[in-house]
Amino acid sequence: MRKAFSNQLRMNCLPIENVPLNLECRHEIIPVLEGLQHLYSQKELRELVTSLIAKDINSDTRPDMGREGYNYWQTGVLGIVRLGCNLNDGQPQDLCENHRALRGILGVGEWDNTSFNWRRIRDTLVLVKPSTLDEINQLIVHHGQHEHGEARQWVRADSFVVATNIHYPTESSLIWDGMSKLLPVSRKLSGSLGLTGWRQLRHQRRGQPSSSRRG
């Protein structure tokens, strides 16, 4: 028998919305868990997500018969964490058994004996279709645009590509690069200070080994 999520709060579990997260931690799982907390707090969105997962899990079976498995919320959490953190088959088991915050988001306490064997996790997650994940993604994006519609008006870029002439960094070519920059700067600086001795700039540049010059 499967259900969307457990309405009965266990004595050794905090409400999922109140599970403490270390926001100073730079591990990629923290923003994923924070997003899952917000998803759980949105009742209508949560019901839509769990209903989509239920259609895949119970596509050819009855939800009111058979042995108990992960509820639909736990299945969604496991799938989102695995995709969001790019985990392999074995890593979700270790996190579910040892990561206190993840266990809190799953609704599992210290006294809970739920099995998170990696084969059981894998066999459950393969039932969720890629098209369902895409649909869940669209629901979450739509909710985010509704909550923060002005955010899509801004774009932030960390870096961009500029065409340049980059040669192989041999020792002689690096010496040539350094001298070709230092000599003109030194000449201008000496001229501004009224110093002499840089009249042979062209001769000095020609004096560099030909193998160090860029083609």
Side-chain angles (χ1 to χ4, degrees):
M1 179 178 180
R2 294 181 187 267
K3 52 187 177 181
F5 51 88
S6 178
N7 291 317
Q8 182 65 39
L9 185 64
R10 297 176 181 269
M11 293 180 60
N12 61 330
C13 290
L14 290 173
I16 292 178
E17 303 93 324
N18 299 334
V19 173
L21 300 176
N22 182 8
L23 301 181
E24 298 297 326
C25 179
R26 300 187 64 183
H27 195 281
E28 60 267 21
I29 197 174
I30 300 301
V32 175
L33 296 181
E34 188 177 15
L36 286 168
Q37 276 187 319
H38 179 76
L39 172 61
Y40 189 85
S41 66
Q42 306 299 312
K43 182 178 179 181
E44 294 183 1
L45 180 61
R46 180 186 64 199
E47 291 179 351
L48 285 174
V49 171
T50 53
S51 64
L52 290 173
I53 295 174
K55 289 180 181 179
D56 289 346
I57 298 295
N58 302 314
S59 59
D60 54 359
T61 59
R62 291 178 56 179
D64 58 339
M65 298 185 65
R67 64 181 181 179
E68 183 178 0
Y70 300 132
N71 60 47
Y72 307 134
W73 168 253
Q74 291 174 336
T75 302
V77 169
L78 292 171
I80 291 172
V81 169
R82 181 175 179 180
L83 288 176
C85 299
N86 193 26
L87 305 178
N88 57 32
D89 284 342
Q91 290 173 317
Q93 177 179 354
D94 181 69
L95 288 174
C96 291
E97 292 176 349
N98 301 296
H99 199 288
R100 185 176 300 175
L102 175 57
R103 291 177 65 87
I105 300 298
L106 288 167
V108 177
E110 297 295 334
W111 305 339
D112 197 298
N113 58 357
T114 301
S115 171
F116 289 100
N117 181 272
W118 69 271
R119 291 186 179 87
R120 186 183 184 190
I121 296 176
R122 181 198 61 189
D123 293 344
T124 302
L125 294 183
V126 296
L127 298 176
V128 183
K129 301 176 183 178
S131 59
T132 301
L133 295 176
D134 291 338
E135 193 169 353
I136 292 174
N137 181 63
Q138 291 299 322
L139 288 173
I140 295 175
V141 170
H142 178 74
H143 174 74
Q145 291 177 346
H146 177 73
E147 292 287 323
H148 305 283
E150 70 281 356
R152 56 185 173 181
Q153 300 176 4
W154 301 89
V155 177
R156 183 179 66 181
D158 293 334
S159 61
F160 53 91
V161 179
V162 177
T164 184
N165 180 19
I166 301 177
H167 56 87
Y168 190 77
T170 60
E171 291 184 359
S172 58
S173 64
L174 292 175
I175 293 174
W176 166 254
D177 289 341
M179 294 300 296
S180 64
K181 297 297 182 182
L182 287 175
L183 289 176
V185 172
S186 300
R187 183 179 183 183
K188 290 181 180 180
L189 182 60
S190 62
S192 62
L193 297 177
L195 303 177
T196 59
W198 292 95
R199 293 177 297 171
Q200 298 182 347
L201 175 62
R202 294 183 180 179
H203 171 73
Q204 291 168 343
R205 295 186 64 177
R206 287 197 300 268
Q208 298 296 319
S210 59
S211 61
S212 66
R213 302 179 185 180
R214 288 184 291 178

